Every structure is written in structure tokens, then in C-alpha cells.
Amino acid sequence: LSAWEALAQQFVMRPFEFSTANRVVFGCGTVKQAGPALAALLQGEAPAVLVTFDGFEERAASLFASLAAVGARQVRFTVQQEPTTELLQAAVELAHNERVNCCIGYGGGSAMDMAKAVAVLVTNGGDPLDFLEVVGKGKAITKPGLPCIAIPTTAGTGAEVTKNAVIGSTKHHVKVSLRSNYILPAVAIVDPELTYSLPPSVTCASGSATIVLNVSDHVEIRVKGIRLKHLQAWTR
């Protein structure tokens, strides 16, 4: 093969797999469909849902109202920083104690990743470090998680349709992933109106992150994680 043909094969011949949320609902005002989506997932079971969000209840009022309309018992867990193993363990314990049967992540990547991680750890048991890549034991997640609904309020991470959850280890001073097809949300509700109240700085950072993530995925061939240095200064 010529050098050009060899290079072309790296782009054309490499196998890949595409996995995403089971159902994606898009459109203005679609956050109001969260309650009906929850009821459909539980198929008659009384809904008891853990909602991970940024703590600003006014911004989440439409979500809470939709859940209340289907009689859901709501357990709210505030996520105002990137998830850590300690914060994740606290959320898992709360989910167990409250006997929730569904998780909803409402917010940026941090809130959604927290809900996704809690959903699988409740059913798989164990410590978060048992399943974390790199710094943990890297055990496989072998059981489906609780039904999970992801609702982004920013436009920068795409965590509503990914099969990993990024968790920080304060002990190791690094961010790593839980990764499994079982982490994919059952439903992603993407309502553009939820971004309207964001501060301009967050809108700008989210847009910049989206550009870097997409450009890097198109230009990198072998080097994974090259984009990280461009994202260190941006909050999720």
C-alpha cells in the first residue's frame, strides 16, 4: 500500500459501534414530558425518583411539576460540583434508604453523570472504586441499572446520550469513568428552553466545549484524550 492508501484505511476501515439513549425526546417544552416518560418506564409501579440537580429549585420547577402530576415521590440530591467518589457514595446510600426506583439527572454533565452512576450502583452494589477505570478495580457492570432519565440544561457535554459517567477520585487527584452500555439513559429529554436562563459565561463555555469535542473527534486517529488539555479551564 502507498502511504496515502495506508492513511485512508485508518479513516475508512476502522470498525466502530454506536450506542445511545434508548429514546430521545427533543423540542421546546418537552421537559413537561418527564412525568409521563417516568410513568411509562415504571409500567404501573409507584414512582419514587432520585433527582440529581444543581440545587436551584426555581429552574427545575417545570420538571418537579411534571413529576408531581404523575404522583412521583421525589428525593432531591444537589450536585454543584463534578461528582466525586464520596459524593456518589452518599447519593447511592440515599437512593437505597429512600427505595427509589428511578433516577433523573437534570442539569449539566455533572448532574446527569451522577444520576447515571447512581442508577447502576444501586443495582450492582459495591463501592464506586470497584467499577472505576484506571484508579479502581475496573470490574464490569453486569446488571441493568434503575431506569434513568437524563435532561440537559446546558449544551456542552452530551452526557444525556453517553455510556459513561465521569467521577473524580479525590484520593488519586484524577477524573475517571464508569463505563458500560447499562449506563446509557433510558430516556433523554432535550428541551432547548432550559438553556435560556444560563449565564452568558456558561453558554459560551458550553459552546466552546462542543466545538472542541467535535473537532478533536474528527482529527484524532490514535491519540485519545488529546482534547482534555483544552477543557481543563471549563466547567461542565
Side-chain angles (χ1 to χ4, degrees):
L1 294 178
S2 68
W4 171 250
E5 289 172 327
L7 180 62
Q9 280 197 346
Q10 294 185 62
F11 285 97
V12 177
M13 302 299 292
R14 296 178 69 196
F16 71 92
E17 176 182 338
F18 179 78
S19 301
T20 189
N22 183 58
R23 177 187 174 204
V24 178
V25 181
F26 178 88
C28 293
T30 51
V31 67
K32 297 176 183 177
Q33 296 186 32
L38 173 64
L41 286 172
L42 297 179
Q43 299 181 343
E45 185 179 354
V49 58
L50 178 73
V51 180
T52 59
F53 74 120
D54 61 11
F56 294 98
E57 297 196 0
E58 184 176 340
R59 288 194 64 216
S62 295
L63 168 64
F64 297 151
S66 180
L67 298 177
V70 297
R73 179 168 62 87
Q74 301 174 44
V75 180
R76 300 171 187 176
F77 188 87
T78 300
V79 182
Q80 293 185 327
Q81 63 187 58
E82 290 192 320
T84 62
T85 52
E86 294 85 359
L87 195 64
L88 174 56
Q89 188 60 46
V92 171
E93 291 175 2
L94 178 63
H96 276 301
N97 293 339
E98 295 289 342
R99 298 184 179 182
V100 304
N101 53 16
C102 184
C103 295
I104 294 180
Y106 179 91
S110 296
M112 290 187 288
D113 279 356
M114 177 67 83
K116 290 156 59 180
V118 170
V120 292
L121 288 180
V122 165
T123 57
N124 283 267
D127 185 273
L129 282 171
D130 290 339
F131 304 97
L132 282 176
E133 299 173 344
V134 184
V135 299
K137 297 178 181 178
K139 291 172 57 178
I141 294 170
T142 58
K143 299 178 182 178
L146 298 176
C148 182
I149 300 174
I151 307 173
T153 61
T154 68
T157 69
E160 68 274 11
V161 291
T162 59
K163 65 177 184 179
N164 69 300
V166 179
I167 308 297
S169 171
T170 52
K171 177 181 177 180
H172 301 92
H173 305 289
V174 68
K175 294 188 297 183
V176 289
S177 284
L178 292 171
R179 195 181 307 273
S180 168
N181 282 335
Y182 289 132
I183 291 178
L184 285 165
V187 181
I189 298 176
V190 184
D191 184 342
E193 290 182 348
L194 300 180
T195 67
Y196 292 176
S197 61
L198 289 176
S201 59
V202 176
T203 299
C204 180
S206 298
S208 299
T210 301
I211 292 171
V212 171
L213 288 166
N214 280 279
V215 170
S216 68
D217 285 339
H218 280 80
V219 300
E220 65 186 42
I221 298 175
R222 296 188 181 90
V223 182
K224 301 300 180 183
I226 192 171
R227 59 181 177 248
L228 294 181
K229 64 181 180 180
H230 300 293
L231 301 175
Q232 288 175 344
W234 292 338
T235 58
R236 301 179 72 185

